[in-house]
Amino acid sequence: MGSFSLMHWVIVLIIIVLLFGGGRISSIMGDVAKGIKSFKKGMAEDEEPVQPKRPIAQIEAPPARTIDGTATTTPSEERKPG
């Protein structure tokens, strides 16, 4: 009782053809095919290799000045030899 026999499917198909007509069904299938083609084309365009971004250049700030005008040392300057 749970499944349809072949005769049930044939009757359902005949009713669908009578309601929509043969031309309408073929146009719907054509639209579905166009949609699938455009989807595949869109997926193929998205598969371009991703280029790595260049690292952002870091700008070092000038040394800070004290009230009397002398420069203070920063931790990066303390590590530099010479």
Side-chain angles (χ1 to χ4, degrees), residues 15-61:
I15 292 173
I16 290 174
V17 169
L18 289 175
L19 288 175
F20 292 109
R24 175 88 175 168
I25 293 174
S26 65
S27 68
I28 290 173
M29 294 308 292
D31 292 341
V32 169
K34 287 179 186 177
I36 291 172
K37 283 183 183 180
S38 65
F39 177 75
K40 286 182 179 180
K41 183 179 178 183
M43 291 300 291
E45 289 175 357
D46 288 344
E47 292 182 4
E48 295 176 359
V50 179
Q51 297 177 355
K53 296 180 180 180
R54 354 176 260 179
I56 299 173
Q58 294 183 358
I59 301 173
E60 291 194 28

Side-chain angles (χ1 to χ4, degrees), residues 1-5 8-9:
M1 284 193 125
S3 65
F4 290 104
S5 68
H8 288 103
W9 288 114

